Amino acid sequence: SWAEDSVERTGESVVAYPGPWTQLVTRAIPQTFGDQGPMVSAGIPAVTISGRPDSPPQAGVTVDGELLENAGVAVADLIASLDETRDPPAPAVEVEVGGQILGPTLARAILLILALPVLVAGADVVSRMRRAGVPRVPGLLGLGRRALPFAVLAAVAYGWALVGMFPPSAAGAPPLPGDMSFGATSGLGVAVAIGIAIGVFAVMRSRVQVAAPASEAGVAAVALSVLLLVAWVLEPFSLILLLPAAHAALLATAVTRRWQVAALALLAIVTPLAASAAIADRLDSNPAFAVWYLVATTADGSRGAVGPLITIAALGCIAALAGLAVLRARKSLPSRAPDSRARLRAERA
C-alpha cells in the first residue's frame, strides 16, 4: 500500500503480515479501529493520521526521537502522494501466504470450491426429497423451531444494548475495546438473554409438533447450501467460519457411532475457538474477552444485520442436522446387558 511505501522510504520497516489464519479471520470479522473505519468498510480509500491510540498499545514497543522523525517524514510523504492523485487505490483485501499475495478473486474462487461439497449435497437432497415425495412444509417449520431460540437470543441482546445493559455502538461502528468492559450489569444481561432463549426452546420443544427428523434434516441441508451461497456472494470470507461447521454437520448425519459424532462436534467448535484466539491477539487481550467483544459489538448492531442473520439461520440448520446425527447414534447403541439377577435366573432355567 502507499502507506507502507512511505514508511519504507524512510528506512523503517513495516510490521509484518500476521499469520494466514489471522488474516482470514480479520477478513471474516472485519474491523478498522479509528475514524476511517466506516469509509474503509464501504470500500472508500481512507487513512487516519492521529496522535491518539486507535488500537490497543503493542507491548514492548519503544519510541525514540529518530522513530518519531521518520514517522513524521512518512506522514508527509503519504499526504503528498495522496494529493498528487485523483484515484487512490481502494482498501486492500488480499491475503499474504508464504510470501505470495492471494488476491480477492482467487480467494473467492477457493472458498467456493471448498463450499461445493455442501452445495452438491443440498442439490442432491432436493432431488431425493422430490422423488420420495417428502413434504417440505413440516421440515421448514421444524427448521424455524430450531432457529427461533437463536433469533430470540439476538433480539434480547440487541434490546439490552438499546437500554444500556450492553455497551452501545460508537456512531454506528464498533467501539474501542477499552470501552467494552464486562461488568455485573453486562453479566446479568447475558444470563437473562440465555435464560429467555432456553425458555423459548423448551416451549417450542413441548408445544410445537416436531417434523420427522429426516424431513427436517433434509430441509436443513438444502437451506444450509443456500445460506453458504448467499454468504459467498455477500460476505465471502465469512465462509472461513461457516464451512467447517457445515461440513461437520453434514458428515455427522452419515455416521452412527457416538465417538464419531463427538469428534465432528469438536471439529465444528474448533474454528470459532481459533477465531476467538486470533481476535484476542489483535485486541491484545484474552479469548474470553474477545468472545464478549464480538458478542457485544454484534448485539449493538454496529456490525450490521447481514452477518447475524446468516449466523442465526446457519445455527438453526446445523442444530437440525445435529439432531438427526444424535438420533442415529442413539439408535445404533448396543442394548444394555441383562443384570446379574436376570442372568442367574436364565442360567438356572
Side-chain angles (χ1 to χ4, degrees):
S1 69
W2 288 12
E4 292 175 344
D5 295 340
S6 297
V7 171
E8 291 173 350
R9 279 195 285 268
T10 66
E12 298 289 347
S13 59
V14 180
V15 177
Y17 282 98
W21 173 246
T22 300
Q23 295 178 64
L24 291 172
V25 170
T26 53
R27 299 294 185 272
I29 311 174
Q31 177 169 321
T32 300
F33 294 110
D35 299 332
Q36 81 276 28
M39 287 184 285
V40 170
S41 63
I44 302 172
V47 296
T48 292
I49 300 172
S50 174
R52 60 184 173 83
D54 284 326
S55 61
Q58 296 180 353
V61 176
T62 58
V63 179
D64 54 20
E66 182 181 1
L67 181 59
L68 287 174
E69 181 180 355
N70 289 338
V73 173
V75 168
D77 182 78
L78 176 59
I79 293 175
S81 299
L82 293 173
D83 285 341
E84 291 175 357
T85 181
R86 295 182 179 179
D87 187 23
V93 292
E94 69 267 6
V95 177
E96 192 267 345
V97 180
Q100 302 295 321
I101 298 298
L102 185 66
T105 302
L106 181 57
R108 288 175 65 99
I110 293 175
L111 290 171
L112 181 60
I113 291 173
L114 294 176
L116 276 180
V118 182
L119 302 181
V120 172
D124 180 65
V125 170
V126 170
S127 177
R128 289 174 180 270
M129 293 181 68
R130 182 177 300 174
R131 291 198 303 268
V134 177
R136 302 177 185 82
V137 174
L140 285 171
L141 294 177
L143 187 58
R145 178 179 64 90
R146 300 278 188 177
L148 184 60
F150 299 108
V152 170
L153 180 62
V156 173
Y158 180 66
W160 289 162
L162 291 179
V163 300
M165 292 189 73
F166 285 0
S169 62
L176 297 178
D179 300 329
M180 301 294 291
S181 60
F182 184 83
T185 302
S186 300
L188 176 62
V190 171
V192 172
I194 293 176
I196 293 175
I198 292 175
V200 171
F201 172 77
V203 171
M204 296 293 292
R205 185 176 184 180
S206 61
R207 297 188 178 182
V208 177
Q209 184 177 3
V210 180
S215 173
E216 186 177 300
V219 173
V222 176
L224 186 59
S225 64
V226 174
L227 280 174
L228 292 183
L229 191 59
V230 171
W232 180 77
V233 173
L234 299 178
E235 301 286 347
F237 283 99
S238 65
L239 294 184
I240 297 297
L241 305 178
L242 294 175
L243 281 176
H247 284 290
L250 282 178
L251 288 174
T253 61
V255 301
T256 57
R257 298 183 180 274
R258 285 184 296 176
W259 71 267
Q260 294 172 330
V261 175
L264 290 170
L266 180 62
L267 174 63
I269 65 174
V270 161
T271 301
L273 292 177
S276 299
I279 296 297
D281 182 67
R282 185 164 186 254
L283 299 177
D284 195 23
S285 183
N286 56 73
F289 176 80
V291 171
W292 158 245
Y293 182 74
L294 292 175
V295 168
T297 53
T298 301
D300 63 19
S302 58
R303 295 186 181 276
V306 175
L309 289 176
I310 291 177
T311 301
I312 290 170
L315 288 174
C317 295
I318 292 171
L321 293 170
L324 177 61
V326 171
L327 180 63
R328 286 171 55 87
R330 285 179 177 176
K331 286 185 176 181
S332 66
L333 291 177
S335 60
R336 294 182 178 180
D339 58 26
S340 58
R341 292 183 180 179
R343 288 199 302 269
L344 182 60
R345 288 195 298 267
E347 291 173 358
R348 288 179 179 176

